[in-house]
Amino acid sequence: MPLLKDGRLVEDKWQRLEEHEVVPTEGAVIIDLERWQVERENLKGRAAPLGLLLMPGQSPEEIADDLSQFDLIALAFPAFKDGRAYSYARILRERLGFTGELRAVGEVLQDQLFFMARVGFDAFEVNERTSEGDFAAEMAKFPAVYQPSSCGENTVFARRHGARLVEAAE
Amino acid sequence: MYRYDEFDQSLVDARVTEFRGQVARRLAGDITEDEFKPLRLMNGLYLQLHAYMLRVAIPYGTFNSRQMHMLAEIARKYDKGYGHFTTRQNIQYNWLKLDDVPDLLADLASVEMHAIQTSGNCIRNTTSDQYAGAAADEIEDPRPTCEIIRQWSTFHPEFSFLPRKFKIAVTGAPKDRAAVQIHDIGIQIVENNKGEVGYSIFVGGGLGRTPMVGKHIRAFLPRQDLLAYLEAIMRVYNMLGRRDNIYKARIKILVHEASAAEFTRLVEEEFEKIDQTKLMALPEEELDRIAAYFAAPEFETLGPCPAEHLEALDRDRDFALWVKANVVPHKVPGYAIANISLKPIGGVPGDITSDQMDGVAELAKDYSFDEIRATHEQNLVLPHVRERDLYAIWQRLKALELATANIGLVSDIIACPGLDYCNLANARSIPVAQLISERFAELDRQHDIGELKIKISGCINACGHHHVGHIGILGVDRKGEEYYQITLGGSADENTRLGDITGPSFPYDKVVDAVETLVTTYVDLRQSGETFLQTYARVGLAPFKENLYAAA
Ligand code: HEM
Ligand code: SF4
C-alpha cells in the first residue's frame, strides 16, 4: 500500500504485526488492541516506536490513559461506508490531544481524503491510483469550511465575522 | 430569504466542479459504477429503472420566483417538462442523462440551489413548517435555525458516512406542521418560563418497516448550544448506530435498543465534553446575521377584510370553496396564506409542469413578496398575499389548472411513486390515489367530510408516510397480487401517533370501497364539529372494523 504522509508519497517505516508474530525489540511496529491488552506490561516503555491499530467499535477513549505509549494510531476503514473512525479521529485530536501520526488504513478512497484530513488524519494508506497531485487537488477542492474540526482551519463563521471586524476597524 | 454570501456560493460552485470531474472520470471509465455510486449519491443522483433521477433540495421549503423559473427551465431542458415535489421539501427529476447532470447542477448553483446531501448516509435537507414567518401561532421563525443547521451539516467531515441517512426537521410553532416527531431529530422552538427562546429536542422518530415516534430527550436547550448538542447526538449515533443490518441502522433503532434514558445519558455526557471547548457555541453575531435575512417583508397596514373580497366570496361559490379549503389566516391583518394544491382530481400527487412552475413563480412575484414554499404534503404555498388579491390569484391559478380546492381534505392525498416507478414496490400507489380522489371528487361532499389525511405507500419503506395517515394505505404482496393494508388514526402533528391496523388487507379493486366505508362510518358516527380523527379517538377501531369486514 502506498503511503501518503503530509501530502508526499513516502516509504513506510512501520511494520504491521500479524497475530502470530512476536514484537521485535527493534523497529517501528503497529500492533492491534487485543495484543496491547494482553502484552501491555511488557510493551510499556518499549524503546522503539510503537503504533496501535484501532478497528471500528474500538473507541480511543478506551485507551485514553495509555495514549502516551503510542507514536502512531492507525484507524481502520474496513469499508469506506463505515464512518466510525471519523469520530475517533476527532476524539483523539481534539479531546485526547494526540499529536502523533494518525493514519487512515483500509478502504481509503480519493474522494474521502479531504474529510479525513479535516478530522485530523495526516497519513493515508491509499490505493495505487492516488498520486500526490490527486491528494493536493483533493485538499484544495473546497475553498472554505463551515464547521470547526481538528484541522484548525478558519471556518466560514469565523471568516465572516473576522471580515466584518476588519471592516468596522477601517 | 437567505442569500448566499461569497463563501456559500464558492462552496456550491466547488461542488459542481468536483462532480463534473467525478462524472468525467466515470464516463472515461477511470472509476467503476460501484466507486461512482457513493459519489453521485452525495449529490442526490439515483440510478432508477429507466434513467437517472435527481433530487434537488429546497432548504426548509423556502424559495423565490427566480429559483422556481430555473426549476421550470431545468425540467424543460433536461427532463420531460415536469418535476415532482416530494414529502421532504425536495423536487425530483425522473428522466435525466448522466452527462447533462453537471450542467444542470451549474444551472442550479446560478440561482443558489443545489442537490448536496439529498441522498446518501449523511444529514439530509433540513425541513420545516411551510407557514414559517407567516403563521399566527409561531413563537419564532424556524428558518434561521434551519439555515444554521444547513450550513453546519454541509460537507460535515465527521458525519458524511453515518450508519444510515439522517433527517432533521424544525418547527417554530406549537402546532406542528413539520412532522418533527417522525424525524431522526425533531426540533421544536419553545419559550421557557424566563421568556428565553430555545429548543425542545426529539430523537429517534421515523417510519419505514419499524415505525417509531421520536423520544423527547431535552425539554429546553439554550439557543447557543444547538450545534454542540447536535454534534453530541450525531457522534453517539455515528459511533454506536448499527452497521450490521441496513434495516436496523437508523437512529430510532439505537434509541430503542439502548432505551431512551440511556441514549439521553450518552448524549448529555458527550455534549458536556464537547461543550467544554466552547468550539461549537453559536456566536451571537452569526445568529443575528442569518436572522436578518428572514426579517419580515414590508407588510402594509391594511384594514379589515376588504369589501371586494367579501363580495367575490358571495358571488363566486367556487372561489369561496377554494378560500375555505386552501386559505389560512396570516399573522398580519389583511394578509393571508394561500395554499396551491398539487393534487388535482385524478392527477399524480406532487407533479407539476414547467409552465405551471413559471405561473406560480409569476404569482409569487406579483403577490407574495417573491416567496414560495414547498410543503411536506407535496403542495405549494404563497405565504404572504393580501386578502384583497385572493380573487385575482385564484383566477390565475384556475387558468394554470392549479386551483384545486382540497387542502387537508380527502383528495389531498400523499402517495409514493409505487409500482409505476419504483423497483421496491409491492403495489401501485398513484392509481389508488387517483381512484380515491375521483370517487370523492365532489367538493361539497369533501367539505362535508372535512379534514381527512390519506397517505399511501407502495411498500413497507413508507415513503408515503402511511403510518401517520388518518387513513393509511400500505401496498403488500399476497401471492403476487397487489393487496392493501389499512391503518386508522395515525397523525404526524404535535400529537403524533401511529395508525392501528384494521385487519386483513384488501385487493386493488376493493380498496376504494373500503375507504368509502370508513368515510361513511365516520359521517354516521360523528358528533357535531368532530373531525375524522376526533371521532376515531372517541369511538376507537371497533365500529370501523365491523363495517369494513361486515360484507366478508
Ligand atoms: C422511486 C424511487 C424511490 C425509492 C427506491 C425509495 C426508497 C426508499 C427507501 C428504501 C426508504 C427507506 C429508508 C430507511 O427507512 O432507512 C425510503 C424512505 C423514504 N422515502 Fe423513498 N423512495 C423513492 C421515492 C420517494 C419519493 C418520491 C418520496 C416522496 C414523495 C419518498 C419519500 C421518502 C421518505 C419521506 C422516506 C422516509 C420514511 C421514514 O421516515 O423512514 N421516497 N425510500
Ligand atoms: S414506499 Fe416503497 S414503493 Fe413507495 S417509493 Fe418508497 S420504496 Fe418505492
Side-chain angles (χ1 to χ4, degrees):
Chain A
M1 279 276 149
L3 177 69
L4 269 165
K5 175 94 201 276
D6 299 323
R8 297 263 156 259
L9 282 168
V10 296
E11 191 199 339
D12 189 357
K13 301 194 309 272
W14 290 83
Q15 184 196 353
R16 185 111 54 94
L17 285 192
E18 300 297 332
E19 224 172 291
H20 59 272
E21 293 173 294
V22 281
V23 180
T25 38
E26 301 280 298
V29 295
I30 302 174
I31 61 169
D32 58 27
L33 182 63
E34 290 73 22
R35 185 189 293 259
W36 173 249
Q37 285 164 342
V38 175
E39 300 181 27
R40 187 166 175 275
E41 293 315 313
N42 291 339
L43 293 174
K44 256 176 132 173
R46 179 177 190 260
L50 192 61
L52 180 70
L53 171 71
L54 293 176
M55 301 300 291
Q58 301 175 335
S59 166
E61 286 188 297
E62 291 172 29
I63 49 111
D65 295 338
D66 293 340
L67 207 55
S68 61
Q69 301 291 326
F70 304 108
D71 304 282
L72 171 151
I73 303 273
L75 297 176
F77 293 86
F80 77 87
K81 288 173 96 161
D82 191 330
R84 282 175 275 191
Y86 292 97
S87 289
Y88 299 159
R90 286 190 71 188
I91 288 173
L92 276 166
R93 290 294 195 214
E94 292 170 47
R95 186 165 301 159
L96 306 177
F98 181 70
T99 54
E101 177 175 324
L102 191 54
R103 182 184 290 200
V105 304
E107 200 169 10
V108 177
L109 304 181
Q110 177 184 330
D111 297 271
Q112 295 177 305
L113 293 171
F114 179 74
F115 286 163
M116 289 180 177
R118 285 210 63 216
V119 296
F121 287 100
D122 56 357
F124 311 87
E125 288 184 9
V126 290
N127 59 35
E128 271 73 18
R129 281 174 296 164
T130 311
S131 68
E132 288 179 6
D134 292 335
F135 182 83
E138 287 299 318
M139 292 307 112
K141 82 180 166 188
F142 291 119
V145 298
Y146 283 121
Q147 331 63 9
S149 187
S150 308
C151 62
E153 189 177 339
N154 253 344
T155 62
V156 167
F157 290 155
R159 288 164 69 181
R160 272 178 187 145
H161 298 289
R164 191 121 338 141
L165 292 179
V166 175
E167 269 167 39
E170 277 168 4
Chain B
M1 252 184 77
Y2 189 69
R3 298 301 312 260
Y4 283 6
D5 68 4
E6 58 189 298
F7 300 112
D8 302 309
Q9 189 68 51
S10 70
L11 277 164
V12 169
D13 291 343
R15 179 56 146 216
V16 177
T17 308
E18 180 196 31
F19 192 60
R20 204 180 280 288
Q22 290 165 344
V23 170
R25 272 154 61 206
R26 174 70 195 114
L27 292 175
D30 291 346
I31 49 176
T32 64
E33 177 55 30
D34 275 356
E35 290 172 310
F36 181 57
K37 186 176 168 190
L39 307 178
R40 66 171 162 75
L41 284 180
M42 283 292 190
N43 290 284
L45 191 63
Y46 289 79
L47 186 52
Q48 294 293 356
L49 281 176
H50 315 288
Y52 281 94
M53 182 275 272
L54 181 77
R55 185 179 293 151
V56 175
I58 299 167
Y60 37 91
T62 293
F63 57 134
N64 62 23
S65 63
R66 191 165 145 253
Q67 293 171 321
M68 184 65 123
H69 281 306
M70 183 55 87
L71 294 177
E73 188 54 29
I74 284 173
R76 279 193 198 96
K77 230 160 105 181
Y78 308 108
D79 202 300
K80 296 184 172 178
Y82 65 94
H84 178 79
F85 282 96
T86 77
T87 48
R88 296 211 71 258
Q89 299 178 318
N90 296 311
I91 182 169
Q92 291 182 181
Y93 297 106
N94 282 308
W95 302 97
L96 302 177
K97 292 204 299 289
L98 180 58
D99 43 353
D100 279 340
V101 176
D103 288 338
L104 191 169
L105 293 179
D107 287 350
L108 280 177
S110 74
V111 295
E112 304 179 15
M113 293 186 89
H114 60 74
I116 295 165
Q117 290 172 209
T118 56
S119 54
N121 295 337
C122 52
I123 302 172
R124 302 286 188 87
N125 184 27
T126 298
T127 53
S128 190
D129 182 354
Q130 65 271 19
Y131 300 159
D137 62 346
E138 192 167 86
I139 292 171
E140 180 181 277
D141 190 333
R143 291 172 300 164
T145 297
C146 293
E147 177 59 25
I148 287 167
I149 295 173
R150 184 190 75 82
Q151 295 189 19
W152 158 77
S153 61
T154 298
F155 309 140
H156 199 299
E158 183 179 351
F159 306 129
S160 290
F161 296 92
L162 298 166
R164 202 72 180 87
K165 59 185 171 181
F166 203 92
K167 301 173 181 179
I168 303 178
V170 186
T171 174
K175 174 118 189 67
D176 178 7
R177 287 171 290 261
V180 303
Q181 294 180 43
I182 56 166
H183 283 75
D184 296 285
I185 295 180
I187 301 176
Q188 189 182 5
I189 296 177
V190 290
E191 203 172 341
N192 68 8
N193 49 19
K194 290 188 218 122
E196 295 157 346
V197 173
Y199 303 108
S200 161
I201 310 283
F202 295 85
V203 172
L207 303 175
R209 69 185 61 210
T210 322
M212 289 195 189
V213 177
K215 309 289 182 297
H216 194 204
I217 68 163
R218 189 52 119 96
F220 188 84
L221 182 72
R223 190 197 288 285
Q224 67 276 11
D225 292 341
L226 177 68
L227 295 185
Y229 202 79
L230 292 181
E231 290 226 332
I233 296 172
M234 299 310 304
R235 183 170 288 166
V236 169
Y237 171 56
N238 190 42
M239 295 201 299
L240 300 181
R242 287 183 60 173
R243 291 171 190 265
D244 57 326
N245 179 341
I246 186 176
Y247 300 119
K248 298 194 187 282
R250 298 285 293 268
I251 195 172
K252 63 189 173 189
I253 304 292
L254 173 64
V255 175
H256 180 73
E257 289 182 351
S259 86
E262 173 62 6
F263 181 82
T264 308
R265 191 190 66 74
L266 290 168
V267 168
E268 291 289 338
E269 189 180 287
E270 183 62 33
F271 169 63
E272 232 167 73
K273 292 181 193 165
I274 292 174
D275 194 43
Q276 275 167 11
T277 68
K278 292 289 167 210
L279 201 63
M280 294 310 298
L282 265 174
E284 197 76 37
E285 315 93 274
E286 182 61 8
L287 281 169
D288 293 347
R289 188 191 76 89
I290 288 179
Y293 286 106
F294 297 95
E298 297 201 0
F299 293 118
E300 297 165 50
T301 313
L302 299 170
C305 200
E308 66 256 42
H309 177 60
L310 295 174
E311 274 164 31
L313 284 175
D314 254 358
R315 191 178 64 238
D316 196 325
R317 226 181 90 73
D318 288 347
F319 173 60
L321 284 174
W322 179 78
V323 170
K324 189 172 169 204
N326 292 33
V327 175
V328 177
H330 194 280
K331 66 180 181 187
V332 176
Y335 283 85
I337 302 170
N339 284 276
I340 301 173
S341 169
L342 300 183
K343 318 289 177 63
I345 299 300
V348 177
D351 271 10
I352 183 169
T353 67
S354 291
D355 292 346
Q356 288 175 323
M357 288 188 234
D358 283 333
V360 171
E362 280 153 25
L363 279 170
K365 194 156 182 93
D366 294 347
Y367 296 109
S368 187
F369 295 94
D370 205 24
E371 269 193 49
I372 311 163
R373 306 289 171 78
T375 83
H376 84 273
E377 290 176 328
Q378 301 184 280
N379 292 313
L380 296 172
V381 175
L382 298 173
H384 311 296
V385 300
R386 296 188 304 195
E387 274 179 321
R388 77 159 74 119
D389 295 329
L390 282 169
Y391 194 65
I393 292 170
W394 175 73
Q395 285 177 306
R396 280 172 58 175
L397 285 173
K398 224 165 56 157
L400 292 166
E401 296 182 24
L402 285 175
T404 314
N406 63 353
I407 295 294
L409 302 179
V410 55
S411 62
D412 182 7
I413 299 170
I414 293 185
C416 80
L419 202 56
D420 298 286
Y421 294 91
C422 175
N423 40 9
L424 304 177
N426 291 322
R428 287 169 287 172
S429 311
I430 292 169
V432 174
Q434 290 169 320
L435 290 173
I436 294 173
S437 81
E438 278 160 6
R439 175 74 63 93
F440 292 95
E442 217 242 303
L443 254 190
D444 284 320
R445 181 159 181 226
Q446 291 197 48
H447 277 277
D448 176 59
I449 297 165
E451 188 184 63
L452 178 51
K453 298 190 174 179
I454 298 183
K455 303 183 195 246
I456 310 173
S457 306
C459 81
I460 196 66
N461 285 314
C463 301
H465 294 182
H466 64 276
H467 301 105
V468 290
H470 300 173
I471 297 177
I473 300 177
L474 163 66
V476 292
D477 177 273
R478 263 178 41 185
K479 301 197 182 94
E481 301 274 321
E482 293 169 282
Y483 269 74
Y484 296 86
Q485 187 185 73
I486 294 183
T487 49
L488 291 181
S491 170
D493 59 10
E494 61 284 0
N495 303 309
T496 293
R497 182 179 185 282
L498 304 172
D500 309 307
I501 296 171
T502 55
S505 50
F506 296 85
Y508 181 77
D509 58 357
K510 289 283 185 298
V511 67
V512 183
D513 292 338
V515 171
E516 176 128 37
T517 304
L518 293 169
V519 170
T520 35
T521 306
Y522 150 68
V523 170
D524 291 345
L525 290 174
R526 71 181 164 190
Q527 297 176 348
S528 84
E530 248 182 10
T531 62
F532 180 91
L533 208 52
Q534 287 163 340
T535 301
Y536 182 77
R538 179 171 56 80
V539 305
L541 183 62
F544 289 95
K545 190 168 173 166
E546 199 170 305
N547 288 351
L548 257 189
Y549 298 102

